[in-house]
Amino acid sequence: MEDIEKFIHGFSRFQQQYLGEHCLFNSLREAQRPGTLVIGCCDSRVDPALLTGSDPGDMFVVRNVANLVPPCTPDAPPGVASAIEFAVCGLEVERVIVLGHARCGGIRALMSPRRLAQETDFVGRWMRHAEPVRQRVLRELSHKTDDEQHKGCEMASILHSLDNLLTYPWLRRRVEEGRLRLHGWYFDIDSGALLAYSARQQEFLPLVCPLEKPEMERRRA
């Protein structure tokens, strides 16, 4: 019940901030015009709007386990594909960000598969979309620790999703025409940094560096 009370009080604050006279929703009631589509993870620690300090209307968000984008096929999961289609073709967003993160439970399930229930395995079935990534990580990072393999898989799955985005013909056409840009971001929960993939450097580089540790903590380290 404490959680429910927290949510209700939180909505009251939201109401005062965004729904009063001369507030933001006066311009949002009729339509939304976000410039960015964010494909993020369901993880409760990784809220795209909270991480980026965004207001309502700033971003169109699709969240699923492990921030995956399935390829464009006749049997592609319609929930994710329809959201991407609506954002790109309907809202005409200018950029797409695939936002992954450290300590992702979906990636851990992919790298260490186990059934979560007796009768269903929806997580396992969903994570098969990233099976090529797992195979590549096991092949190329076989000499690394489990934690290093998991982190490598988290980052590689972002690139896999970016590649899969380009299998949607209407999206690829907009990218080729310069009307749409694709970005791969990685939130490092451990360090507090935000990384972005650089195609030129072929690696993830800091967009926002970690907070500097206090002097006492640095001495202990």
Side-chain angles (χ1 to χ4, degrees), residues 1 38 60 65 73 75 84 86 94 99 154 160 186 196 219:
M1 289 301 296
V38 177
F60 189 82
V65 173
T73 61
D75 59 347
I84 295 171
F86 181 69
E94 299 172 355
L99 174 62
E154 288 161 354
H160 185 63
Y186 180 82
R219 288 178 181 174

Side-chain angles (χ1 to χ4, degrees), residues 38-43 46 48 62-70 80 84 97-107 126-127 129-130 153-162 164-165 183-187 204:
V38 177
I39 301 169
C41 183
C42 295
D43 194 300
V46 190
V62 180
R63 298 179 72 174
N64 61 57
V65 173
N67 43 270
L68 299 183
V69 176
V80 176
I84 295 171
I97 300 171
V98 177
L99 174 62
H101 67 97
R103 299 186 180 273
C104 178
I107 295 298
W126 171 251
M127 291 309 300
H129 292 295
C153 192
E154 288 161 354
M155 291 182 166
S157 71
I158 295 173
L159 305 185
H160 185 63
S161 286
L162 290 173
N164 283 346
L165 280 171
H183 306 269
W185 286 8
Y186 180 82
F187 171 42
F204 283 84

Side-chain angles (χ1 to χ4, degrees), residues 66 102-114 123 127 134 146-148 150-151 153-154:
R103 299 186 180 273
C104 178
I107 295 298
R108 188 162 294 277
L110 174 68
M111 296 298 293
S112 305
R114 61 186 179 89
V123 172
M127 291 309 300
R134 186 179 80 91
D146 286 349
D147 285 344
E148 289 171 323
H150 289 165
K151 185 170 185 178
C153 192
E154 288 161 354

Side-chain angles (χ1 to χ4, degrees), residues 164-184:
N164 283 346
L165 280 171
L166 293 174
T167 65
Y168 294 81
W170 30 266
L171 187 148
R172 185 183 188 95
R173 184 163 57 250
R174 284 168 170 79
V175 171
E176 292 172 345
E177 292 171 352
R179 292 190 288 150
L180 183 68
R181 289 168 290 169
L182 305 183
H183 306 269

